[in-house]
Amino acid sequence: LRDSREIDRKKRRLAIENGFEYVMFYEDEIKNNTLKVFKTISSKLRREPKIKVRPQKLVFKKVDKKDIEGFLNNNHYIGSASAKYYFAAYFNDIIVGAMLFGQPTRQNIDGIELKRFCVHNDYEIYGLGSWMLKRAFENGVTKPIVSYSDNRLHNGELYKKLGFKKVGESRQDYYWTKDNKRYHKSSLRKPKECDITETELRTAQNYHRIWDLGKTKWILD
């Protein structure tokens, strides 16, 4: 099969240039996480009205991971994450927004990383990101803040609205697939004694390599 890297980049670029939002899913995600895929698509195409709430009616709290894990798993495509700071926005005792901050996942990065920002799928809260970010600063979070948007799923508009600046894009990474299962390359490292390349080894074992679309790096300084 052909290397899909350049084809996928061109498809995304063409979609954005013509005013569309581009979203790409892996086959195993569609088969094994159908509900999350459906929620992601429906949230972008949703036509029925959401519950509209002003930030002034919300309560901001610093919480523990266990308090917010279920909300993230139900409303964020990737789900929960480990972090240093967990913040939640409540409306009538219902969590409607979350922000997580922690140590940067990549080395040689100064500051703190915005690891998650999530809004309840049934709510529309204009200005929630800025509202929560301001209160996060009042509760220990400091600049600079770095974050990464997955080019498969996002165009980065949210970061622009929050005042972040785009500072670059990471190279496309890859997975190995076999029998409808996807494996990260780190779990299939070539044995030291192997005298052929990783690609030659995995191809001989009937693996197929697929690529993501890279990530965009954003900084708020």
Side-chain angles (χ1 to χ4, degrees):
L1 295 173
R2 293 179 61 189
D3 188 327
S4 63
R5 277 179 292 181
E6 181 59 26
I7 295 173
D8 289 336
R9 284 199 302 269
K10 286 182 177 179
K11 286 194 291 186
R12 180 175 184 267
R13 185 166 59 248
L14 183 63
I16 293 174
E17 287 174 353
N18 285 275
F20 291 92
E21 185 172 356
Y22 185 85
V23 182
M24 184 180 88
F25 298 105
Y26 297 122
E27 183 177 354
D28 66 282
E29 291 175 321
I30 297 172
K31 289 184 175 180
N32 302 326
N33 292 292
T34 306
L35 182 58
K36 283 195 173 183
V37 171
F38 174 77
K39 284 183 176 181
T40 300
I41 295 174
S42 62
S43 68
K44 297 178 182 296
L45 300 178
R46 185 166 180 164
R47 293 295 178 265
E48 64 268 24
K50 294 188 178 184
I51 302 170
K52 295 185 178 182
V53 180
R54 292 182 177 276
Q56 293 84 346
K57 294 185 177 181
L58 305 179
V59 176
F60 182 89
K61 292 182 180 180
K62 185 176 181 180
V63 296
D64 294 324
K65 182 179 181 179
K66 61 181 176 59
D67 300 320
I68 207 168
E69 202 162 21
F71 169 80
L72 289 167
N73 289 333
N74 288 328
N75 294 276
H76 193 281
Y77 184 74
I78 302 176
S80 186
S82 296
K84 181 178 180 180
Y85 297 100
Y86 299 87
F87 299 118
Y90 287 82
F91 176 65
N92 293 339
D93 296 326
I94 298 173
I95 298 177
V96 295
M99 267 190 177
L100 276 61
F101 298 86
Q103 290 299 115
T105 53
R106 289 166 172 78
Q107 296 180 350
N108 302 321
I109 298 296
D110 293 328
I112 197 167
E113 181 175 336
L114 171 59
K115 291 181 172 290
R116 295 286 187 275
F117 171 54
C118 180
V119 184
H120 196 297
N121 291 324
D122 295 330
Y123 286 79
E124 182 178 338
I125 309 169
Y126 181 77
L128 177 64
S130 298
W131 184 85
M132 292 195 72
L133 195 58
K134 179 181 178 180
R135 281 148 187 80
F137 291 142
E138 297 170 354
N139 284 268
V141 174
T142 58
K143 297 178 183 179
I145 300 175
V146 65
S147 195
Y148 301 87
S149 57
D150 190 336
N151 292 337
R152 288 196 307 124
L153 303 170
H154 301 286
N155 56 15
E157 286 301 315
L158 168 66
Y159 290 94
K160 294 178 184 177
K161 292 179 180 179
L162 291 177
F164 282 74
K165 292 183 179 180
K166 178 180 175 180
V167 293
E169 292 197 8
S170 65
R171 291 186 298 175
Q172 289 170 270
D173 206 352
Y174 63 87
Y175 297 87
W176 292 107
T177 64
K178 185 178 182 180
D179 298 328
N180 293 321
K181 292 184 179 180
R182 178 164 49 97
Y183 305 87
H184 194 271
K185 63 181 182 182
S186 62
S187 67
L188 290 172
R189 295 189 184 280
K190 187 184 72 169
K192 292 183 179 179
E193 64 274 11
C194 184
D195 58 359
I196 61 177
T197 68
E198 177 191 357
T199 299
E200 291 171 336
L201 173 63
R202 299 310 171 200
T203 300
Q205 296 172 332
N206 295 319
Y207 284 91
H208 171 61
R209 182 160 54 181
I210 62 173
W211 299 82
D212 65 11
L213 278 169
K215 291 179 172 59
T216 300
K217 180 180 177 182
W218 303 86
I219 286 184
L220 180 66
D221 195 355

